[in-house]
Amino acid sequence: MAKPFIILVCFLFGGLLHGQEITDEFLESLFESGNEDYWYCLQSVYSLNYYIIHVANPDTIAYHREEDRIVFSYQGDTVKGICDRGNTDVRVSVFGGGSWHTIRRRQGIFREQSGLEMRINVHSGLHHLDKEVVFAYYLDDVLTGHYMELTLDKVVMKEGAYQQIDSSYVDTVLTVNPDTYEVYDEYVPRKKYPLKIGTWVYRNRSGDTLKVERNPEKHD
């Protein structure tokens, strides 16, 4: 973990901070507190906001200092437990993890009252990945709406949209019997599954268009 990174968070997003000043000393005290989950959360919020701004979404995660803590808010509402992995009732959940020797993962889940979720996943590390940043929307854990994949330097490699289709579609899940250790296929029925709709564009890491795919604008 590098302390200059979190100091950069303060510098780049200083306009989002109100109230008490977030100083280098305050950030260093967070670093030295040993609370790695909170440390990763701060880095994850910065990383997620960086890509949210890039795709022209105005709803970033705001934050400010109150005494010895940082308070997060989304769309004007304070979000308590934003980094609590077990709290699924909040508008926004933010997760971060990894080490310098493995892939870092940062994830944000933004929930609407309708049940729609915008999920952002950012992967970085020493390993080359085709999918490094993914913006996707889900309803009942099934893809729907706009979908986008970007590189870490913000080149859009894949972009399109999904529509959910009602179906008796069945997932096959590899399962292990805990008593016998026997491996078998478990069939899990799903009520919906996603289909691509409209125009999908595929690019290489340099931004050159490789393929344009035409799909129906809507499936019956």
Side-chain angles (χ1 to χ4, degrees):
M1 303 176 203
K3 285 185 281 187
F5 182 90
I6 198 65
I7 293 172
L8 183 64
V9 173
C10 177
F11 176 75
L12 291 179
F13 285 90
L16 298 176
L17 307 176
H18 305 284
Q20 295 173 289
E21 182 182 3
I22 296 184
T23 62
D24 291 352
E25 290 76 17
F26 173 71
L27 296 173
E28 186 171 343
S29 71
L30 291 178
F31 176 81
E32 293 174 349
S33 68
N35 191 336
E36 293 187 358
D37 289 340
Y38 194 60
W39 175 262
Y40 279 126
C41 181
L42 287 172
Q43 295 192 53
S44 296
V45 166
Y46 164 73
S47 183
L48 295 171
N49 280 346
Y50 179 76
Y51 290 103
I52 289 173
I53 291 172
H54 174 70
V55 299
N57 188 327
D59 294 326
T60 56
I61 302 170
Y63 48 93
H64 66 274
R65 177 183 173 184
E66 289 185 4
E67 300 300 333
D68 60 348
R69 64 193 183 107
I70 292 180
V71 176
F72 297 93
S73 60
Y74 180 68
Q75 295 181 341
D77 297 326
T78 299
V79 182
K80 295 182 179 179
I82 192 172
C83 301
D84 182 355
R85 292 180 179 272
N87 189 356
T88 59
D89 295 327
V90 295
R91 289 283 310 280
V92 181
S93 296
V94 174
F95 311 119
S99 72
W100 288 118
H101 304 292
T102 60
I103 297 173
R104 287 186 176 277
R105 182 185 182 195
R106 313 194 193 284
Q107 181 183 42
I109 302 176
F110 301 75
R111 302 178 178 91
E112 301 296 336
Q113 291 183 347
S114 63
L116 187 68
E117 294 183 354
M118 178 178 74
R119 301 181 187 177
I120 306 173
N121 285 279
V122 181
H123 296 78
S124 60
L126 300 177
H127 305 284
H128 175 82
L129 294 170
D130 291 332
K131 297 191 297 184
E132 293 170 330
V133 184
V134 177
F135 280 79
Y137 289 84
Y138 289 80
L139 185 61
D140 298 326
D141 284 328
V142 180
L143 282 164
T144 186
H146 188 223
Y147 180 90
M148 181 186 296
E149 294 178 9
L150 303 88
T151 65
L152 291 177
D153 53 0
K154 300 180 294 188
V155 175
V156 179
M157 296 184 64
K158 182 187 296 186
E159 186 171 15
Y162 285 101
Q163 177 189 338
Q164 289 188 4
I165 299 296
D166 291 322
S167 172
S168 57
Y169 179 78
V170 176
D171 269 340
T172 303
V173 180
L174 195 64
T175 307
V176 178
N177 186 314
D179 297 322
T180 65
Y181 298 102
E182 177 186 3
V183 179
Y184 62 95
D185 289 333
E186 181 177 2
Y187 299 100
V188 181
R190 294 179 61 175
K191 296 180 180 179
K192 295 180 180 293
Y193 70 98
L195 283 179
K196 292 180 179 179
I197 58 172
T199 302
W200 279 69
V201 180
Y202 301 81
R203 301 179 181 90
N204 60 22
R205 303 182 71 82
S206 299
D208 303 316
T209 299
L210 300 176
K211 181 176 68 170
V212 177
E213 181 180 281
R214 310 289 183 184
N215 299 284
E217 293 297 326
K218 183 178 180 181
H219 294 284
D220 296 325

